[in-house]
Structure formats: C-alpha cells, structure tokens
Amino acid sequence: MSPRHQRNVSRRRLLTSLAGAAVAVPAAALIAPHALATIGSGDEGTKASAGGALPLTVVNDSGAFADSSVYLYIVGNQDGRQVRLTPEGTLAPISLSDNGADGYTDYAIALSGSGETSLTLPYMSGRIYVALGDKLKFKAVADGNGDAALQYPAGWVTSDPNYDVLHDCAEFTYNAAGMFCNTTMVDMFSVPLSIGLTGAENRTTGTLRAQGRDQVFAALREIPEFAPLVVDDLRVIAPGHGLDAGIFATDYFDPYIDEVWSTYTGRDLTVTTNAGTFTGRVRGDRFAFDGPASVSFARPTTRDVLFCDGNLAAPNDGTTGPVAAVLGAGFNRSTLISDTAQPTTDPAAFYRASPITNHYSAAVHAATRDGKAYGFAFDDVADFASYIQDTAPTGARLTLTPF
C-alpha cells in the first residue's frame, strides 16, 4: 500500500473544510452536507464491498466518568443530506423542528449503563462525539440552500455554547468501499480516545500512553507561545484556531519560513510523490518545482502553515496537491532545512531541527502509544496520522481511554 500522502488528498480537504467552516461561523461549526462525504472516496486500496450495517461498540474506560455521565452523538451525512443516528440505531434527517425550547437539539445517545454499548452504523460519513458530564448543544439551522443543517461544537471559540463542556470526537466514512476512520486533534485535543477496526486486519490507533493527556497539557504549558492554548483542564486548542482567536502569534513561523526561502534560493529541494520526483528552488518569491508537472507556491504565512491551507492548499490534482502536502508537513515538523529530500520519514527528526516548530503536534504524537496522531491536516504524510481503514470491516470500536 502506498503512503497516504502519495494518494488521494480528499482526506485533507475534509479536515480543512471543517476548520474553515468553524472559522466562518464563530458560534459553532456549520458543516455543509457534502463536507463529510469524502473520506475513502479516492483510491484507498481494494474496493471490496463492506456489505451492510457495521456493528459499533463504544466502551467507557475513562476511569473518570460514569457511563451515566457520558453522552454520545453520531452525526454526519448520507447521500447529500445531514443525518444523525438515533438511540434505536436508525438514521433520521436533521430537522429544524428538532430544536427544543432552549433552541438546541437533543441527539444524545446514552451508554448502556454497564459494560459495552452496542450500536449499528449504516453507510454514512460523519463524526462520533463524546461529551462528559454534560450534553452538547447542537443547533439545527437552515443552510444557504434552505436545507436543515447542524451547527457543530467549536471548542476553540469562547462564545460557543459548548465551550465549557468537556468533549471530543472521532471521524469516519463507512460506505461500500469500507470503513475509514481517525481520531483527530486537528482542531483541539481533549478526551483520550482510541478507535479500532476488525475485518481484513485488526487495527487500533489513537491510544494514549499512561498519563498521556496530562503530559500534553503540561508540555504545552511550558512553552510560552503555546501556553495560552491550554484551556484549564478542558482542552488544548490547535494553534491555527488559537491564531484566529488572537491567542497565538500570527508571525510565529515567519522566521522559519524566511529561512526555508533563503536556503532554497541557492540549492534544490526534492519532493517524492506517486506522480514522481519534483525538484524545486525559490525563484523570485515562489517556490517553483519541475518534474512530472510544473508547480509553484507563493510564500506561505504562519496561518497557511498551521491550517495547511492558503498558499499551501492541496488541490486534488495529483501533482500540486501531493507536493503541497509534503511541504506543509515539512513546515509543521520543521524538517525542510535539515533534509533536502522530502518527505522526511524518520520521526526522530520531527519537531527537533528548529525551536520554531508545531509543538502542539509534537506533544500529541509523543502522548500516543503508536506515535500517530492527527496534529495538523497533512499529518498523514509518511503515514503518521491516527488513521485506520478496512475494506472488509466486521466491526468498529470507540474507546474512551483512561485520563
């Protein structure tokens, strides 16, 4: 199987579309009906049929919250419409009439009360949210087309009604091609979660080391630029959202960006993708690459680096997109200057070559048992994202792991 950065980049398009929606709607994240329908839609391996409904087991091993204090939400899209899973295991369309007297829906699914909670996933794409101690406030609204849509929680926005609720989520797409899922820290890190699949293989990802959550919070509190991202004991906000909120420096990566531009004015950088090897130098104010195609990038901003967007956006074109992904990973991991052949694949070199690096991503990777996490949108470059897939799944498992 080829590395994911050398395949379809639709996974990253999903992540950046979610982040962008949250920014555009400060009170909450409004997800367009198509935004969650792209995981696994590209060349993700053998196209075996997943075959029908998928058993989902939810386990509360948090050790900090009783089952009665854990609320589960499964929301997303099916066939272009926004839907949610009911406690009975059926899909229901989002409706404006779902809003109660308080103005919010109540889509919570209670855990079984003892042992494991068994549910069934139909074909859909979406998120599995968990809220601890209190319910989440999802609001049904009319989108630009007049269709019912959801405002999703945005834990990085102080005015969001869910800001004070301890919550987190995993993402998935389940369709005829299989099950494709991940634990994501692209927006924030809060609740320790692992996700597993049985089927052609048995795989699990996202599991934290013992005291891993505490270690993330403690590590970032020690770095002055990142300390404001730690919100009490609730969560750590990803630095891109921190930048938009005014609590992270808009020029943080600028010295490293300048150093990359200066370095590659006089030497070549090679980037290897499935399309072939690209060779680039900075010419004028653009990083221009020759190879299977000619692609070039304007100088990115700190925000572009953190969101892997803007001048580092990755179109799904097979050439510019993969090169952008590798550059974005190199900036966040600070490997672009230390290694002139990208992508760097040795994790021992990540986040170390410069004090200017994505310490948030470094901390969440250090906290996981397998070293994998989705600390930024291009974290799948060289296969370091907490992402798993199975083209013939027989079951999925979401576990709230110990705090």
Side-chain angles (χ1 to χ4, degrees), residues 187 226 229 237-244 248 306-307 358 360-361 375:
D187 291 322
F226 287 77
L229 302 175
I237 299 170
H241 289 308
L243 184 153
D244 285 345
F248 190 83
L306 293 173
F307 279 112
N358 190 334
Y360 168 84
S361 185

Side-chain angles (χ1 to χ4, degrees), residues 93-166:
I94 302 302
S95 173
L96 298 181
S97 63
D98 291 343
N99 291 326
D102 63 352
Y104 300 103
T105 65
D106 186 355
Y107 293 158
I109 300 172
L111 298 194
S112 65
S114 62
E116 301 177 347
T117 299
S118 298
L119 299 166
T120 302
L121 275 181
Y123 285 166
M124 65 178 293
S125 295
R127 283 179 165 180
I128 305 173
Y129 280 89
V130 293
L132 309 180
D134 201 357
K135 292 183 177 182
L136 288 172
K137 296 179 176 64
F138 288 86
K139 187 177 183 66
V141 298
D143 67 12
N145 297 318
D147 298 322
L150 276 183
Q151 286 182 335
Y152 280 38
W156 51 95
V157 178
T158 56
S159 60
D160 187 90
N162 301 291
Y163 187 77
D164 293 327
V165 180
L166 183 63

Side-chain angles (χ1 to χ4, degrees), residues 17-364:
S17 70
L18 295 181
V23 172
V25 186
L30 177 62
I31 309 300
H34 62 276
L36 287 163
T38 54
I39 307 177
S41 61
D43 180 13
E44 299 288 358
T46 304
K47 297 294 184 180
S49 174
L54 182 68
L56 169 67
T57 302
V58 180
V59 183
N60 176 21
D61 283 341
S62 67
F65 292 85
D67 286 354
S68 59
S69 297
V70 178
Y71 305 96
L72 185 72
Y73 304 81
I74 302 177
V75 292
N77 297 281
Q78 184 192 62
D79 299 330
R81 64 174 184 168
Q82 291 205 13
V83 294
R84 49 107 177 183
L85 193 71
T86 70
E88 294 73 35
T90 60
L91 279 186
I94 302 302
S95 173
L96 298 181
S97 63
D98 291 343
N99 291 326
D102 63 352
Y104 300 103
T105 65
D106 186 355
Y107 293 158
I109 300 172
L111 298 194
S112 65
S114 62
E116 301 177 347
T117 299
S118 298
L119 299 166
T120 302
L121 275 181
Y123 285 166
M124 65 178 293
S125 295
R127 283 179 165 180
I128 305 173
Y129 280 89
V130 293
L132 309 180
D134 201 357
K135 292 183 177 182
L136 288 172
K137 296 179 176 64
F138 288 86
K139 187 177 183 66
V141 298
D143 67 12
N145 297 318
D147 298 322
L150 276 183
Q151 286 182 335
Y152 280 38
W156 51 95
V157 178
T158 56
S159 60
D160 187 90
N162 301 291
Y163 187 77
D164 293 327
V165 180
L166 183 63
H167 69 278
D168 219 319
C169 71
E171 299 175 325
F172 71 96
T173 281
Y174 174 52
N175 57 28
M179 179 67 163
F180 311 87
C181 50
N182 69 91
T183 59
T184 177
M185 297 86 164
V186 169
D187 291 322
M188 66 182 201
F189 168 75
S190 181
V191 179
L193 297 173
S194 71
I195 195 162
L197 291 177
T198 57
E201 298 181 65
N202 293 343
R203 300 183 63 194
T204 300
T205 192
T207 307
L208 296 191
R209 302 177 188 274
Q211 287 80 52
R213 183 180 190 269
D214 290 342
Q215 291 166 12
V216 172
F217 280 61
L220 295 174
R221 285 192 177 105
E222 292 297 314
I223 304 171
E225 297 91 340
F226 287 77
L229 302 175
V230 182
V231 181
D232 300 324
D233 193 40
L234 285 175
R235 67 186 62 91
V236 182
I237 299 170
H241 289 308
L243 184 153
D244 285 345
I247 58 174
F248 190 83
T250 59
D251 60 353
Y252 174 77
F253 263 104
D254 287 10
Y256 189 77
I257 295 167
D258 290 343
E259 190 176 0
V260 169
W261 242 243
S262 175
T263 297
Y264 290 106
T265 297
R267 64 194 298 190
D268 290 339
L269 176 71
T270 61
V271 172
T272 301
T273 74
N274 262 10
T277 298
F278 295 77
T279 301
R281 282 198 182 201
V282 174
R283 301 185 180 103
D285 198 40
R286 298 187 70 85
F287 210 143
F289 290 83
D290 297 318
S294 295
V295 300
S296 67
F297 304 87
R299 183 193 300 261
T301 65
T302 290
R303 190 181 191 280
D304 294 341
V305 169
L306 293 173
F307 279 112
C308 298
D309 201 6
N311 289 337
L312 290 177
N316 194 12
D317 62 358
T319 52
T320 301
V323 176
V326 173
L327 289 177
F331 274 117
N332 277 279
R333 296 168 180 165
S334 300
T335 60
L336 286 176
I337 295 170
S338 57
D339 190 347
T340 60
Q342 293 291 322
T344 304
T345 59
D346 180 4
F350 296 173
Y351 311 111
R352 296 171 186 255
S354 169
I356 300 173
T357 194
N358 190 334
H359 291 285
Y360 168 84
S361 185
V364 294

